[in-house]
Amino acid sequence: MARLFRESRRESASSISNGFPSVAASASGSGLPSPFPDLGVPLSASELRETAYEILVASSRTTGGRPLTYIPQASVGPASPASASSVSSANSSSSLQRSLTSAAASKMKKALGLKSSASSKGGSPGSGGGAKAAARRPATVGDLMRVQMRVSEPADARIRRGLLRIAAGQLGRRAEAMVLPLEFLQQFKASDFPDPQEYDAWQSRNLKLLEAGLLFHPLVPLNKSDVSAQRLRQIIRGAYDRPLETGKNSESMQVLRSAVMSLAGRSHDGTSDGCHWADGFPLNLHLYQMLVEACFDNDDGTVVDEIDEVMELLKKTWVILGINQMLHNLCFVWALFNNFVMSGQVDIELLSAAENQLAEVTNDAKTTKDPNYSKVLSSTLSSIMGWTEKRLLAYHETFNTSNIESMQGIVSIGVSAARVLVEDISHEYRRRRKEETDVARSRIETYIRSSLRTAFAQRMEEADSKRSSRNPTPVLSILAKDISDLAIKEKNLYSPILKTWHPLASGIAVATLHSCFGNELKQFITGLTELTPDTVQVLKAADKLEKDLVNIAVEDSVDSDDGGKSLIREMPPYEAENAIANLVKVWIKERVDRLKGWVDRNLKQETWNPGANRENIAPSSVEMLRVVGEALDAFFQLPIPMHPVLLPDLTFGLDRSLQLYVAKAKSGCGTRNTFMPQLPPLTRCEVGSTLLFKKKEKPQNLQSRGSQNGTTNGADPLALPQLCVRLNTLQFMRGELENLEKKIKTGLRNVESAQADITDGLDIKFELCQTSCQEGIQQLCETTAYKVTFYDLGHILWDILYVGDIASSRVEILLRELDPILETISGMVHNKVRNRAITALMKATFDGFLLVLLAGGPLRAFTRQDSQIIEDDFRALNNLFLADGDGLPEELVDKASSQVKNVLPLLRTDSESLIERFKRMMAESNRSSSKNKLPLPPTTGHWSPNEPNTVLRVLCYRYDEAATKFLKKTYNLPKKI
C-alpha cells in the first residue's frame, strides 16, 4: 500500500485507460492544461474519472423509484460487450436505464448550433455507420456513460454491487448523505478483487479522495486543532506503511468512519444533514469536469447525440458536488473549447458551440460576486485567452485560406474572454472605467500590430535569403514588394473578419507595416553616402509601398469619425523622394566641385594660342562644354523620378562653373582704364622743354596675371591675337549655351518621369554665364581697343602725331599702323562680335586723337590755320573705319565721332573769342572770384565745347599772343611758347 501511495504521488495526470482509449491520445491535437487549482493530492485523471462515475451512478440510483438489483457476471451468458451492463442494470432507476433517443431530437445540440453525428456523418455516435456501428451502440444512457467515462464492465459491476450493499444497509438514505469512498471501503475487502494490486490501488484511491475532500479542500475550512482531522491524517499516513483492513466488521474501519463522518458532517450553518466530502473547491470542479468530458465522443471528440439525456444525469450530481448552473456553464465552455483544441482546431462546430456557451458565462459573470467562482472564472478564461492570444498575436502564422473559417470564432472567444476578465473581474478596470477604452477594440488592435510585426520580421528574413548572385535585387526592394503583397493579403483575408470588432482593422495593419518598414528604411538612409542604382531602386520601391499602404488606410477610414486623420498621423512620410533628392544634390555638388577644380587647373595651362584650331577659340572652352554636356547626360541617366525638380540645382551649379570659366578667361586682361593715360597738369612751356606727358606704362599686374593664365611658350597673353582668341572663346560659349538648353529639354522629354508638356513654358537659362559672357565680350573689346591704341600705338600718338611741324607729322602714319590691326581683327574675330571689336577700336582711336589735341603735352602747339589740317586728318581717320562702305555703318561712325566733331570747331575759333567763352562759362558755373581770379576748372575727361576745361586746354595749346597773356595773367603760365 505504501508503494502504491508513493507511485500515485508520482503519477502524471494522464488517464488510466482500463481498456478504453483516452481522448487526448485519440485526438489529433493536445489539450490545454486544466484551469483548476492543483489538488495537492496525487489523484490521477483515471482515479478522478472513476470516482466521478461512482457519484453519477449513486446520484442516478437515488432518484429512481425502484431499488437497484445486482446480477453476478458469472450468471450472464455470452452476449454483446454491453450485455453485462444491461443485465446488471435491469432493475435500475429510470434515468440510467432510459433508452437512447434519436439524435434529431437533441434540443441542446440545436441550442449550441451543433449538428447531430448521424446527420453529419451518416452513422451513430462513435461509429462509422451501418450494421457494425449499430452493434456497438450502447442501448441505454447508463451504458453510454460507462463507455464514455472508460469504466470497465468489471469495475461497473463492482460499483453497482457496492451500491446495492450500501442501499441494503441504509434504506432510504440519499447519496448526498453518504461519504461514498468511506462506504465503498466498508463494503469491500481484498477478497472481492481478483488481483491484490488492484485492491491496493482501489483502497489508495478512496483514501486519497478522503484526504482531498476532507483535509485539503473541505467545504468548511478546518481548525488547526480539529481532533478528527488529526486522526484522519494519522490513519491515512499509517496506510502508507500498512494496508488498511477494510470491511464491515473491521475495527480500523470504525475508527476511520468516526473521523470521516465527524469532518463530513460539518456545514456553514451547522444544520446540514448531508455529507460534504466532494463539494469543496476545487475538488468538485475536477470531479465534475470528468463528468462533462463524457459529453464528448471518445473517438472523434464531438458532442454525443445523447447530450440531452447525459446532461440530465450530470445535473443529478450537482447536489453532491456543490455544482450550480454557473459552474456548470463554465466547466462546459471549457470542455467545448478544449475539445476543439484537441481536434486540431478543425471542428468548427465545437468552436461555435463554445462561443455560444461563452455568452452564457459572460451573463453569469455579471450576476455574481462569489470569490471562488471569480477565481475559477479568471483561471479558465485566462487559459482560453492565453491559447487564443498565442495564435492571434501571430495570426498570419496560424491562419491561411485553408483554415480561415476558424479565425472568426477564435477571435470572438478570445475577445469575449478578455472583456469578461477586464470588465467583470478586474478591480483596476472598475476604478478606471471612465478612462478605459473599448476592450474588444484594444485587443484586436494588439493582435493586428503584434501579428503584423511578426509577419514583417519573417518577410525580412525571407527577403534576405532571396538575394543572391542570381538575384542581386536589394533586400529592401524585395521586402517592399513582399510587404505590399502582405498588406493586400491582410486587407482581403483577415481584415474582413477583424472589422467585426475594429472598424479600422486594415488601417491599423498598414500603419503597423508602414512603421516597421519605415524603421528599416531610416537605418538604410542614415548609412547612405552616395547615389547608386541600388539606392534609387530601394527608395523608389519604398515610395511605391508607401503609396499602396496609404491608399489602403484612406479607403479603410473613409467612414471613420475623423476621416482617418489619426491613422495618417501615425504614418509619417518616408520622404523617399527627399532622400533621393538629397543624394542627387550631393551628386550634383560633387560634379560641380570637380568641374570648378577642372576650370582652375586647365585655365592655368591655357595659352590662348590662335593656331590651336580653325575657330580661333581656346581648346579649354571646348573641353569645358564637353564636361558640362557629360554631366547633363549623366544626370538624365539617373534612375530617379524627379528630374524636373532637381534640374534647377544642376543647371545653377553648371551655370556657376561656366561663369567661373568666363571670369577667369577675362581676368588679368585689364579694362579700358588700365590703358588710359593719366592727363598731365595744365601748363604752357616753351618748345623744346622736357616732355611732361608720357605714355602710360604697361601695368605690372597685367604681366603677373598673364603668368597665372599659364603662358608657357613665351607669347604675350595680351597680344592682339591672344585677345582675339579670348573674345572668340566667350562668343563661342555664349552660342553653345543655347545648345545646352536644347540638350536639357531633350533630356527632360526622354526621362521616365517625363510628361507630355514637361518642357512647355520651361525657361531654362544659363543666366549667370550668359550675362558674364556679354560683360566679358564688352570688356575684352574695350581692353583690346585701348590696349592697341594707347599701348601698342602709344609711341605714334605721343611721340610722332603733331609733334613739331604739324604738316610733317600728320595722321597717315597712324592710319598705316591701324590698317593691319583692323585686318587681324577682321580675320580672327567671330563675325558676331567683329563689329563690336572694331567699333571699340574706333572709339579708342578717336579718344586718342582728342587726347593728342587737348592733352598732348608741351611739344604740341596749334595755330588757327592748323585746324584745317587736323579736320582733314580726322576725316581720313573716319574713312578708315568706313572703308568705302565695307567697314562700319556710317551712322555708327558718325555717332562715335560726334565728340571729336564738336571739339574741332574750337581749333578754328580766335583766341579772344575763346577767352570770352571761357570766362562766360566760368561765371555761369559760379567759379569766378571778385578779384577776377579764375580757378582752374577740373578735368572731367568729357570733352565738349561747353565744358570750361576743354576750352582752357585749347587755349593752352594755342600758339598766339592773346592766349599767352591770358594764361600768364590768369594762371601765371609762361608768356612764350
Side-chain angles (χ1 to χ4, degrees), residues 676-692:
M676 281 289 288
Q678 296 178 356
L679 298 182
L682 285 172
T683 185
R684 186 166 182 79
C685 299
E686 294 183 4
V687 175
S689 62
T690 305
L691 180 65
L692 296 179

Side-chain angles (χ1 to χ4, degrees), residues 394-443:
Y395 58 77
H396 282 84
E397 296 180 4
T398 308
F399 303 102
N400 49 52
T401 53
S402 63
N403 66 348
I404 192 66
E405 185 181 1
S406 64
M407 184 177 177
Q408 177 90 24
I410 291 176
V411 174
S412 177
I413 287 178
V415 167
S416 297
R419 186 182 285 122
V420 173
L421 287 171
V422 172
E423 296 180 356
D424 298 318
I425 298 178
S426 172
H427 299 292
E428 181 69 18
Y429 176 80
R430 294 191 184 102
R431 287 195 295 269
R432 300 176 58 192
R433 180 169 293 179
K434 292 181 180 179
E435 304 172 9
E436 192 70 26
T437 57
D438 180 76
V439 176
R441 186 163 178 164
S442 174
R443 294 314 305 159

